[in-house]
Each structure stands twice: as C-alpha cells, then as structure tokens.
Amino acid sequence: FENPHDGKKMMLTPEMSIGLQNSIGADIMMQLDDVVSSLTTGARVEEAMWRSIRWLDRGMAAHKRPTEQNLFPIVQGGLDPELRTVSAQELAKRDAPGYAIGGLSGGEAKDSFWRMVTLSTDVLPLCKPRYCMGVGYAEDLVVCSALGVDMYDCVFPTRTARFGNALVRSGSMSLRQGKFRDDFRPIDEDCSCPTCKNYTRAYIHTVATKETTGCHLITIHNIAFQMRLMRDIRQAIVDDCYPQFIRSFMRRRFGKTVPAWVINALKSVNVDLTVPDEDGYSAKPISEDFQKEPSH
C-alpha cells in the first residue's frame, strides 16, 4: 500500500492491521482479509477465502487487547454456496465476540446477495452478533434483519446526501428538484433530527449540491433516518410483531409491486407478501430493483 502521509510503499500485514486498530482503540475491529469482487468466480475466490482464514488466525494471535476490543472475523467465499459455507463454519470454530459477512454489495444480483446472507447467518452462532458489511438501503436493512443480521455499515446515507438526496420511508427525495423551491415543510414531518426541526425543504433546496451546508444538513437527517429505522426494527422484533412491520414497511416503500428478490428472501423466513394480510394488502413481484422517488 502507499502510505498516505509520505507516499512510501508499506506492507500492511495482518499483524500491523491489528496493531493499528489496537492503538486507535476501536470497539469493533475487523480482521485483514483478502477481498475479491463478488462477481469473481473460480479458483481465485477459494484462494482468497482460505487466505482470509489464515490471516484471521494471525490477527487473533496479534490482538493485544482482547478483553477491551472485539475482533470480528469476516465470512468470504463470493457467491459460491459451498465456499461460503466452509468459510462460515471455519470462523464459527473461533470463539469470536461477533462475526461479519463480507464480500457482498459489489454489484451482484440481489437474488444472489440475499441467498449468501441467509446462508451465512444459518451457519454462524446464534448467540453472537452478525454484521453485514456495506449494506445500507432501507429495504436491505429490513430484509437482512429478517434473515438474522444484527448490524450494518454503509457509506450510502452520507454519499447520497452529497448529491442532495434525503432518505424517507418511501424512498429517496431529491431536494435539488425545482418542486421543492417553495416547499416549507421539513424533509420528514415525523423526524426529530436537528435538520428537520430547524430547516425547510425549500432552504435545503437552495444549498443542496451547491454548498457544503446542504451536504451537512442532509447527512444529519439521513443518519438519523437510518438509526430510527434500526430502532423501529429492533422494537418490532422485541414486540414479536416483525412480520407485520415488514408488511407495513414494504407497502409504504413500494406499494403493490415489490422487487422479486425481496419477496423471495422474505418467503424464505415465512413472510409471504403475495398473500393478502388482514388489511387486504398483497404484493406482486417485479424484476426491477430500484430506489423509488417518493411522491410527496
């Protein structure tokens, strides 16, 4: 790697990676792994999977603060069910405080994505947190939580804010559009974040993508949106009404046409959106995988 400070080449080893994270004091540390594109197939995927396991063992041996910092192994194996199963099984043998599901969200088909997620959660220990890396779309959070994932990270909320896009339950709101010029409502009337409490859509429209202020304000809202969604997901699980929450969310998000991958994934955990609920709502699968522009 090229050192960002002086431009010199440096060898980042599994031991050095852990040492840097020990010095930073991160609550959750990640092993150094060999990442290949989720679209890669063949021997390279297996090579990377086994190398990641070897690097994990070296990282665990180098970990100097195991009682203070949590080192998460990372499941690899690409889109190969056998390799991903072997990877998850090998990681589960190590008594880690939590486990990560990696190597996804790299352009693969969503129907392949969810199958690798659920395969991983089926193998990893139930009593430890499972963290899906790089996942941030709202529907992905709802679906993957149903498949047994507990934690996520993603640049999506902050990156999309830089383009003037605010996240709401029904989709992504492009505040650059002229229709918001005279809209004096908050981004989301149900949101209590500082942006929604103090700024209107009209004001944010004037600065979105033009000044860093716009990026900052939308970023604050988008992160608050993600956190509120995850709190709602958790509470629905605690209240034992998550299937009802899923139906309500998908109805508001997509209406009566829902991406087929969502329907397939939820069917695997006995939530069938194609069967009418007590309110008469049911969904038809469509092949498109899209972020819908909300109508309001």
Side-chain angles (χ1 to χ4, degrees), residues 47-120:
E47 175 190 52
M49 186 268 290
W50 287 113
R51 179 177 289 122
S52 294
I53 292 171
R54 293 195 300 273
W55 284 0
L56 167 65
D57 289 336
R58 288 171 59 181
M60 293 180 74
H63 188 7
K64 302 300 184 185
R65 302 173 62 190
T67 61
E68 303 166 76
Q69 296 175 273
N70 301 291
L71 174 57
F72 279 28
I74 305 174
V75 178
Q76 293 291 353
L79 302 180
D80 186 312
E82 291 187 13
L83 290 181
R84 196 158 278 269
T85 299
V86 169
S87 177
Q89 289 173 339
E90 285 294 322
L91 268 52
K93 294 176 184 178
R94 281 82 173 163
D95 186 22
Y99 298 86
I101 300 168
L104 299 173
S105 298
E108 72 278 359
K110 284 288 193 177
D111 209 55
S112 298
F113 159 78
W114 79 261
R115 294 178 192 279
M116 294 303 101
V117 170
T118 197
L119 186 155
S120 302

Side-chain angles (χ1 to χ4, degrees), residues 164-165 172-182 201 205 208 293-294:
N165 298 319
S172 181
M173 181 184 296
S174 178
L175 291 168
R176 296 169 297 170
Q177 295 183 0
K179 65 182 180 180
F180 296 111
R181 186 179 295 111
D182 299 314
R201 297 176 182 181
H205 166 77
E293 174 74 16

Side-chain angles (χ1 to χ4, degrees), residues 22-212:
N22 278 153
S23 66
I24 291 170
D27 296 317
I28 295 176
M29 304 163 54
M30 308 309 301
Q31 72 156 109
L32 184 66
D33 59 345
D34 182 5
V35 183
V36 297
S37 167
S38 59
L39 304 180
T40 300
T41 58
R44 178 69 183 94
V45 181
E46 183 172 10
E47 175 190 52
M49 186 268 290
W50 287 113
R51 179 177 289 122
S52 294
I53 292 171
R54 293 195 300 273
W55 284 0
L56 167 65
D57 289 336
R58 288 171 59 181
M60 293 180 74
H63 188 7
K64 302 300 184 185
R65 302 173 62 190
T67 61
E68 303 166 76
Q69 296 175 273
N70 301 291
L71 174 57
F72 279 28
I74 305 174
V75 178
Q76 293 291 353
L79 302 180
D80 186 312
E82 291 187 13
L83 290 181
R84 196 158 278 269
T85 299
V86 169
S87 177
Q89 289 173 339
E90 285 294 322
L91 268 52
K93 294 176 184 178
R94 281 82 173 163
D95 186 22
Y99 298 86
I101 300 168
L104 299 173
S105 298
E108 72 278 359
K110 284 288 193 177
D111 209 55
S112 298
F113 159 78
W114 79 261
R115 294 178 192 279
M116 294 303 101
V117 170
T118 197
L119 186 155
S120 302
T121 57
D122 282 348
V123 175
L124 294 173
L126 288 173
C127 59
K128 301 289 181 69
R130 281 82 67 88
Y131 153 46
C132 199
M133 305 179 75
V135 171
Y137 291 161
E139 57 267 32
D140 293 10
L141 300 178
V142 172
V143 170
C144 289
S145 295
L147 300 179
V149 176
D150 305 292
M151 305 162 62
Y152 308 88
D153 81 308
C154 193
V155 300
F156 172 64
T158 51
R159 183 178 61 198
T160 200
R162 297 199 294 272
F163 297 100
N165 298 319
L167 304 181
V168 292
R169 285 291 171 99
S170 53
S172 181
M173 181 184 296
S174 178
L175 291 168
R176 296 169 297 170
Q177 295 183 0
K179 65 182 180 180
F180 296 111
R181 186 179 295 111
D182 299 314
D183 191 336
F184 297 102
R185 293 174 292 171
I187 294 174
D188 185 345
E189 292 171 330
D190 295 326
C191 180
S192 60
C193 79
T195 298
C196 288
K197 289 169 73 173
N198 296 292
Y199 297 90
T200 65
R201 297 176 182 181
Y203 173 76
I204 299 173
H205 166 77
T206 66
V207 295
T209 73
K210 302 180 185 71
E211 300 177 20
T212 56

Side-chain angles (χ1 to χ4, degrees), residues 1-3 8-12 32:
F1 291 86
E2 188 174 280
N3 189 313
K8 293 180 180 179
K9 297 292 184 181
M10 57 182 286
M11 175 66 76
L12 181 61
L32 184 66

